[in-house]
PDB file of all heavy atoms in Angstrom:
ATOM      1  N   SER A 134       2.957 -20.110  -5.374  1.00 97.00           N
ATOM      2  CA  SER A 134       1.652 -20.448  -5.952  1.00 97.00           C
ATOM      3  C   SER A 134       0.707 -21.199  -5.153  1.00 97.00           C
ATOM      4  O   SER A 134      -0.559 -20.818  -5.038  1.00 97.00           O
ATOM      5  CB  SER A 134       1.890 -21.192  -7.285  1.00 97.00           C
ATOM      6  OG  SER A 134       0.794 -21.417  -7.930  1.00 97.00           O
ATOM      7  N   GLU A 135       1.229 -22.142  -4.253  1.00 97.00           N
ATOM      8  CA  GLU A 135       0.361 -22.879  -3.421  1.00 97.00           C
ATOM      9  C   GLU A 135      -0.177 -22.096  -2.245  1.00 97.00           C
ATOM     10  O   GLU A 135      -1.350 -22.213  -1.761  1.00 97.00           O
ATOM     11  CB  GLU A 135       1.149 -24.076  -2.822  1.00 97.00           C
ATOM     12  CG  GLU A 135       1.464 -25.162  -3.811  1.00 97.00           C
ATOM     13  CD  GLU A 135       2.674 -25.072  -4.493  1.00 97.00           C
ATOM     14  OE1 GLU A 135       3.189 -23.847  -4.677  1.00 97.00           O
ATOM     15  OE2 GLU A 135       3.307 -26.050  -4.956  1.00 97.00           O
ATOM     16  N   THR A 136       0.627 -21.105  -1.805  1.00 98.00           N
ATOM     17  CA  THR A 136       0.301 -20.140  -0.690  1.00 98.00           C
ATOM     18  C   THR A 136      -0.900 -19.307  -1.200  1.00 98.00           C
ATOM     19  O   THR A 136      -1.843 -19.095  -0.457  1.00 98.00           O
ATOM     20  CB  THR A 136       1.458 -19.374  -0.339  1.00 98.00           C
ATOM     21  OG1 THR A 136       2.499 -20.254   0.119  1.00 98.00           O
ATOM     22  CG2 THR A 136       1.066 -18.403   0.845  1.00 98.00           C
ATOM     23  N   ILE A 137      -0.774 -18.784  -2.513  1.00 98.00           N
ATOM     24  CA  ILE A 137      -1.882 -17.990  -2.984  1.00 98.00           C
ATOM     25  C   ILE A 137      -3.186 -18.882  -2.943  1.00 98.00           C
ATOM     26  O   ILE A 137      -4.283 -18.325  -2.598  1.00 98.00           O
ATOM     27  CB  ILE A 137      -1.504 -17.484  -4.329  1.00 98.00           C
ATOM     28  CG1 ILE A 137      -0.424 -16.444  -4.409  1.00 98.00           C
ATOM     29  CG2 ILE A 137      -2.795 -16.891  -5.090  1.00 98.00           C
ATOM     30  CD1 ILE A 137       0.253 -16.134  -5.747  1.00 98.00           C
ATOM     31  N   GLU A 138      -3.099 -20.042  -3.466  1.00 98.00           N
ATOM     32  CA  GLU A 138      -4.286 -20.937  -3.421  1.00 98.00           C
ATOM     33  C   GLU A 138      -4.836 -21.180  -1.945  1.00 98.00           C
ATOM     34  O   GLU A 138      -6.018 -21.135  -1.713  1.00 98.00           O
ATOM     35  CB  GLU A 138      -3.958 -22.264  -4.068  1.00 98.00           C
ATOM     36  CG  GLU A 138      -3.683 -22.111  -5.539  1.00 98.00           C
ATOM     37  CD  GLU A 138      -4.862 -21.398  -6.360  1.00 98.00           C
ATOM     38  OE1 GLU A 138      -5.958 -21.737  -6.123  1.00 98.00           O
ATOM     39  OE2 GLU A 138      -4.493 -20.509  -7.234  1.00 98.00           O
ATOM     40  N   ALA A 139      -3.829 -21.332  -1.031  1.00 98.00           N
ATOM     41  CA  ALA A 139      -4.270 -21.514   0.408  1.00 98.00           C
ATOM     42  C   ALA A 139      -4.979 -20.275   0.867  1.00 98.00           C
ATOM     43  O   ALA A 139      -6.044 -20.373   1.668  1.00 98.00           O
ATOM     44  CB  ALA A 139      -3.102 -21.784   1.211  1.00 98.00           C
ATOM     45  N   ILE A 140      -4.538 -19.048   0.521  1.00 98.00           N
ATOM     46  CA  ILE A 140      -5.255 -17.770   0.938  1.00 98.00           C
ATOM     47  C   ILE A 140      -6.535 -17.844   0.361  1.00 98.00           C
ATOM     48  O   ILE A 140      -7.613 -17.603   1.060  1.00 98.00           O
ATOM     49  CB  ILE A 140      -4.417 -16.671   0.446  1.00 98.00           C
ATOM     50  CG1 ILE A 140      -3.065 -16.468   1.183  1.00 98.00           C
ATOM     51  CG2 ILE A 140      -5.248 -15.285   0.682  1.00 98.00           C
ATOM     52  CD1 ILE A 140      -2.028 -15.520   0.571  1.00 98.00           C
ATOM     53  N   LYS A 141      -6.811 -18.183  -0.926  1.00 98.00           N
ATOM     54  CA  LYS A 141      -8.062 -18.118  -1.479  1.00 98.00           C
ATOM     55  C   LYS A 141      -9.036 -19.179  -0.960  1.00 98.00           C
ATOM     56  O   LYS A 141     -10.211 -18.939  -0.767  1.00 98.00           O
ATOM     57  CB  LYS A 141      -7.908 -18.337  -3.028  1.00 98.00           C
ATOM     58  CG  LYS A 141      -7.378 -17.116  -3.813  1.00 98.00           C
ATOM     59  CD  LYS A 141      -6.681 -17.363  -5.080  1.00 98.00           C
ATOM     60  CE  LYS A 141      -7.520 -18.131  -6.084  1.00 98.00           C
ATOM     61  NZ  LYS A 141      -6.751 -18.432  -7.345  1.00 98.00           N
ATOM     62  N   SER A 142      -8.393 -20.390  -0.643  1.00 97.00           N
ATOM     63  CA  SER A 142      -9.274 -21.371  -0.114  1.00 97.00           C
ATOM     64  C   SER A 142      -9.874 -21.020   1.336  1.00 97.00           C
ATOM     65  O   SER A 142     -10.791 -21.653   1.732  1.00 97.00           O
ATOM     66  CB  SER A 142      -8.645 -22.758  -0.233  1.00 97.00           C
ATOM     67  OG  SER A 142      -7.577 -22.828   0.788  1.00 97.00           O
ATOM     68  N   LYS A 143      -9.194 -20.158   1.905  1.00 97.00           N
ATOM     69  CA  LYS A 143      -9.621 -19.610   3.248  1.00 97.00           C
ATOM     70  C   LYS A 143     -10.657 -18.540   3.086  1.00 97.00           C
ATOM     71  O   LYS A 143     -11.133 -17.962   4.036  1.00 97.00           O
ATOM     72  CB  LYS A 143      -8.515 -19.120   4.133  1.00 97.00           C
ATOM     73  CG  LYS A 143      -7.705 -20.215   4.742  1.00 97.00           C
ATOM     74  CD  LYS A 143      -8.370 -20.770   5.961  1.00 97.00           C
ATOM     75  CE  LYS A 143      -7.473 -21.827   6.784  1.00 97.00           C
ATOM     76  NZ  LYS A 143      -8.187 -22.302   7.874  1.00 97.00           N
ATOM     77  N   GLY A 144     -10.872 -18.189   1.814  1.00 97.00           N
ATOM     78  CA  GLY A 144     -12.035 -17.226   1.581  1.00 97.00           C
ATOM     79  C   GLY A 144     -11.508 -15.799   1.438  1.00 97.00           C
ATOM     80  O   GLY A 144     -12.309 -14.801   1.389  1.00 97.00           O
ATOM     81  N   TYR A 145     -10.128 -15.591   1.285  1.00 98.00           N
ATOM     82  CA  TYR A 145      -9.606 -14.322   1.157  1.00 98.00           C
ATOM     83  C   TYR A 145      -9.066 -14.025  -0.284  1.00 98.00           C
ATOM     84  O   TYR A 145      -8.712 -14.901  -0.998  1.00 98.00           O
ATOM     85  CB  TYR A 145      -8.418 -14.166   2.111  1.00 98.00           C
ATOM     86  CG  TYR A 145      -8.675 -14.232   3.583  1.00 98.00           C
ATOM     87  CD1 TYR A 145      -8.264 -15.348   4.315  1.00 98.00           C
ATOM     88  CD2 TYR A 145      -9.316 -13.133   4.166  1.00 98.00           C
ATOM     89  CE1 TYR A 145      -8.586 -15.340   5.740  1.00 98.00           C
ATOM     90  CE2 TYR A 145      -9.592 -13.243   5.557  1.00 98.00           C
ATOM     91  CZ  TYR A 145      -9.240 -14.327   6.291  1.00 98.00           C
ATOM     92  OH  TYR A 145      -9.488 -14.344   7.669  1.00 98.00           O
ATOM     93  N   PHE A 146      -9.028 -12.724  -0.683  1.00 98.00           N
ATOM     94  CA  PHE A 146      -8.370 -12.168  -1.902  1.00 98.00           C
ATOM     95  C   PHE A 146      -7.046 -11.711  -1.472  1.00 98.00           C
ATOM     96  O   PHE A 146      -6.897 -10.848  -0.520  1.00 98.00           O
ATOM     97  CB  PHE A 146      -9.106 -11.071  -2.539  1.00 98.00           C
ATOM     98  CG  PHE A 146     -10.509 -11.410  -2.813  1.00 98.00           C
ATOM     99  CD1 PHE A 146     -11.651 -11.004  -2.069  1.00 98.00           C
ATOM    100  CD2 PHE A 146     -10.740 -12.192  -4.065  1.00 98.00           C
ATOM    101  CE1 PHE A 146     -12.894 -11.368  -2.474  1.00 98.00           C
ATOM    102  CE2 PHE A 146     -12.086 -12.478  -4.397  1.00 98.00           C
ATOM    103  CZ  PHE A 146     -13.204 -12.006  -3.646  1.00 98.00           C
ATOM    104  N   PRO A 147      -5.973 -12.250  -2.066  1.00 98.00           N
ATOM    105  CA  PRO A 147      -4.614 -11.710  -1.781  1.00 98.00           C
ATOM    106  C   PRO A 147      -4.439 -10.433  -2.407  1.00 98.00           C
ATOM    107  O   PRO A 147      -4.700 -10.269  -3.720  1.00 98.00           O
ATOM    108  CB  PRO A 147      -3.652 -12.798  -2.237  1.00 98.00           C
ATOM    109  CG  PRO A 147      -4.428 -13.566  -3.242  1.00 98.00           C
ATOM    110  CD  PRO A 147      -5.932 -13.397  -2.957  1.00 98.00           C
ATOM    111  N   LEU A 148      -3.865  -9.363  -1.721  1.00 98.00           N
ATOM    112  CA  LEU A 148      -3.620  -7.986  -2.248  1.00 98.00           C
ATOM    113  C   LEU A 148      -2.113  -7.956  -2.070  1.00 98.00           C
ATOM    114  O   LEU A 148      -1.571  -7.729  -0.903  1.00 98.00           O
ATOM    115  CB  LEU A 148      -4.281  -6.957  -1.479  1.00 98.00           C
ATOM    116  CG  LEU A 148      -3.998  -5.445  -1.881  1.00 98.00           C
ATOM    117  CD1 LEU A 148      -4.307  -5.149  -3.291  1.00 98.00           C
ATOM    118  CD2 LEU A 148      -4.781  -4.568  -0.941  1.00 98.00           C
ATOM    119  N   LEU A 149      -1.406  -7.966  -3.092  1.00 98.00           N
ATOM    120  CA  LEU A 149       0.137  -7.876  -3.117  1.00 98.00           C
ATOM    121  C   LEU A 149       0.562  -6.500  -2.949  1.00 98.00           C
ATOM    122  O   LEU A 149       0.323  -5.610  -3.864  1.00 98.00           O
ATOM    123  CB  LEU A 149       0.768  -8.580  -4.266  1.00 98.00           C
ATOM    124  CG  LEU A 149       2.259  -8.775  -4.278  1.00 98.00           C
ATOM    125  CD1 LEU A 149       2.765  -9.573  -3.154  1.00 98.00           C
ATOM    126  CD2 LEU A 149       2.759  -9.262  -5.669  1.00 98.00           C
ATOM    127  N   ALA A 150       1.302  -6.127  -1.821  1.00 98.00           N
ATOM    128  CA  ALA A 150       1.851  -4.886  -1.589  1.00 98.00           C
ATOM    129  C   ALA A 150       2.999  -4.624  -2.592  1.00 98.00           C
ATOM    130  O   ALA A 150       3.739  -5.456  -2.879  1.00 98.00           O
ATOM    131  CB  ALA A 150       2.405  -4.730  -0.147  1.00 98.00           C
ATOM    132  N   HIS A 151       3.014  -3.398  -3.166  1.00 98.00           N
ATOM    133  CA  HIS A 151       4.028  -2.895  -3.996  1.00 98.00           C
ATOM    134  C   HIS A 151       4.696  -3.924  -4.848  1.00 98.00           C
ATOM    135  O   HIS A 151       5.865  -4.281  -4.860  1.00 98.00           O
ATOM    136  CB  HIS A 151       5.250  -2.200  -3.256  1.00 98.00           C
ATOM    137  CG  HIS A 151       5.517  -2.791  -1.863  1.00 98.00           C
ATOM    138  ND1 HIS A 151       6.103  -3.931  -1.809  1.00 98.00           N
ATOM    139  CD2 HIS A 151       5.461  -2.283  -0.608  1.00 98.00           C
ATOM    140  CE1 HIS A 151       6.280  -4.223  -0.484  1.00 98.00           C
ATOM    141  NE2 HIS A 151       5.883  -3.239   0.281  1.00 98.00           N
ATOM    142  N   PRO A 152       3.856  -4.551  -5.861  1.00 98.00           N
ATOM    143  CA  PRO A 152       4.498  -5.621  -6.763  1.00 98.00           C
ATOM    144  C   PRO A 152       5.624  -5.111  -7.513  1.00 98.00           C
ATOM    145  O   PRO A 152       6.577  -5.848  -7.899  1.00 98.00           O
ATOM    146  CB  PRO A 152       3.313  -5.976  -7.553  1.00 98.00           C
ATOM    147  CG  PRO A 152       2.285  -4.788  -7.417  1.00 98.00           C
ATOM    148  CD  PRO A 152       2.534  -4.294  -6.077  1.00 98.00           C
TER     149      PRO A 152
END
Side-chain angles (χ1 to χ4, degrees):
S134 184
E135 289 89 333
T136 303
I137 292 167
E138 292 308 314
I140 292 170
K141 284 157 55 185
S142 71
K143 283 278 186 185
Y145 294 110
F146 300 102
L148 172 62
L149 184 62
H151 38 64

